[in-house]
Amino acid sequence: MGVKNAFVKSYQIADSYTNVSLFGEIVHNRFAISKLLEKGIILKNELQEIVNDKSIKNVIIRAHGISPKDEKILKDSAKNIFDLTCPKVKKVQLLAKELTLKDYEIIILGKKNHPEIIGICGYCNNNYVVVKDLEDFKKIVINSYKKYSFIAQTTSDPLIFNEISEYIKENFKNIEIRNTLCKSPILIQEDTIKLAKEVDIMLVVGDKMSANTTTLFNLSSKYTESYFVETINDIKDIDFTNKIVGITGGSSTPWWQIEEINNYLIKKYFK
């Protein structure tokens, strides 16, 4: 998966290089980020801070990707760049560029301020609109003489994507549907739903800033009592006695974060 691959490679870069900066959070998990900071990597969210800091020699582009404008500024700065954009995200970026060149209006499912969406929109001109759900989509004025393409942030909720897709099929002939969802989060979501149906309580482990982990929690909550867990402190007041507990984590959740929760439960309830 792109985010886990980005984290592992960042860790390796930290072992081989000095004066390394992340351009934005490599993944949406502050616990994973803290491990990289411990390795000496610094985190900068503003591009100009990186460009103007002569002590920064190496720059890591996050898994969510960046806009072509920001990428050019980085390259022109003569910094050594490690582009760890998820291949699936890069594919969507290039698709947005291709659709723009072909004069499509692009409708993008996602979160407006999410770095992945900001990066994708950077490959468009003024020919796009970002929607978060079907209600948002219905607000768009669709012109019959224009051609449209419907795409999505790779970690969007597949249920929302499918809902909008069905609405498009029933009402429009000039909107193409391009399924740009990443399969890895979808497989995790399917496994989470299956597990949620079999247990009394689900613990969804990760960072609450993570879009894909939030989607997992929302899905799990539809089937059983669920808790979004970041640390052990989040579950200390929950009584798991005689309960069947399921544990899952998002694409950006490091293994040790899940392991910490699992070990706590074993130690307390299975001595």
Side-chain angles (χ1 to χ4, degrees):
M1 288 177 281
V3 287
K4 292 190 185 298
N5 181 59
F7 174 77
V8 171
K9 287 189 175 180
S10 295
Y11 211 77
Q12 292 170 344
I13 290 168
D15 282 334
S16 303
Y17 296 83
T18 57
N19 304 316
V20 181
S21 174
L22 295 173
F23 177 24
E25 295 183 344
I26 192 74
V27 296
H28 273 160
N29 187 290
R30 66 183 185 277
F31 306 99
I33 294 295
S34 67
K35 292 289 184 181
L36 295 177
L37 299 183
E38 289 171 8
K39 294 283 288 183
I41 292 179
I42 62 173
L43 172 63
K44 297 284 188 180
N45 290 308
E46 298 298 328
L47 181 59
Q48 288 306 317
E49 285 187 28
I50 295 174
V51 172
N52 295 329
D53 190 337
K54 293 183 180 179
S55 69
I56 297 174
K57 306 298 182 183
N58 303 283
V59 182
I60 297 173
I61 295 177
R62 59 195 170 216
H64 306 109
I66 60 176
S67 70
K69 179 182 177 181
D70 285 350
E71 188 173 351
K72 184 179 186 306
I73 292 172
L74 267 182
K75 288 180 177 178
D76 289 346
S77 72
K79 307 285 187 185
N80 185 34
I81 301 170
F82 296 94
D83 187 354
L84 301 188
T85 302
C86 172
K88 301 288 176 60
V89 173
K90 179 61 72 175
K91 188 175 180 180
V92 182
Q93 291 177 339
L94 296 178
L95 174 60
K97 180 180 179 180
E98 176 188 343
L99 292 169
T100 298
L101 292 173
K102 292 181 178 179
D103 296 322
Y104 276 85
E105 298 294 315
I106 306 174
I107 304 168
I108 311 171
L109 174 63
K111 296 184 177 181
K112 286 184 180 180
N113 295 321
H114 192 283
E116 181 182 333
I117 287 293
I118 293 171
I120 292 170
C121 291
Y123 283 81
C124 307
N125 291 326
N126 293 318
N127 59 321
Y128 71 90
V129 60
V130 179
V131 299
K132 65 178 183 297
D133 52 27
L134 180 57
E135 184 179 347
D136 236 10
F137 179 90
K138 289 181 178 180
K139 296 175 184 176
I140 302 171
V141 177
I142 304 295
N143 296 311
S144 58
Y145 60 88
K146 290 185 177 181
K147 55 184 182 180
Y148 296 80
S149 187
F150 175 54
I151 65 176
Q153 179 180 329
T154 58
T155 55
S156 292
D157 187 333
L159 297 179
I160 297 176
F161 181 84
N162 292 337
E163 183 182 30
I164 296 176
S165 296
E166 288 304 313
Y167 181 78
I168 289 173
K169 291 174 185 177
E170 292 171 3
N171 295 278
F172 303 100
K173 293 184 178 180
N174 60 328
I175 304 179
E176 293 181 2
I177 299 170
R178 305 288 189 99
N179 189 340
T180 56
L181 298 175
C182 179
K183 291 182 180 179
S184 294
I186 292 175
L187 291 174
I188 295 175
Q189 289 164 14
E190 290 174 351
D191 288 343
T192 296
I193 291 172
K194 181 181 178 182
L195 183 58
K197 291 178 178 179
E198 299 172 352
V199 301
D200 301 312
I201 297 175
M202 276 291 287
L203 303 180
V204 182
V205 184
D207 190 316
K208 291 181 180 178
M209 289 298 293
S210 166
N212 65 79
T213 312
T214 299
T215 297
L216 277 188
F217 173 71
N218 292 336
L219 287 173
S220 178
S221 298
K222 293 178 181 179
Y223 299 96
T224 192
E225 181 181 351
S226 301
Y227 296 91
F228 203 135
V229 181
E230 292 187 321
T231 69
I232 290 172
N233 290 331
D234 294 325
I235 60 173
K236 283 185 175 179
D237 294 332
I238 304 172
D239 186 5
F240 296 99
T241 305
N242 298 323
K243 300 288 187 180
I244 301 175
V245 182
I247 303 177
T248 188
S251 300
S252 58
T253 305
W255 64 268
W256 68 83
Q257 192 178 5
I258 295 176
E259 188 96 336
E260 182 182 55
I261 303 302
N262 186 57
N263 289 342
Y264 169 80
L265 291 175
I266 291 175
K267 185 177 181 180
K268 184 170 183 179
Y269 294 96
F270 300 95
K271 293 179 180 178

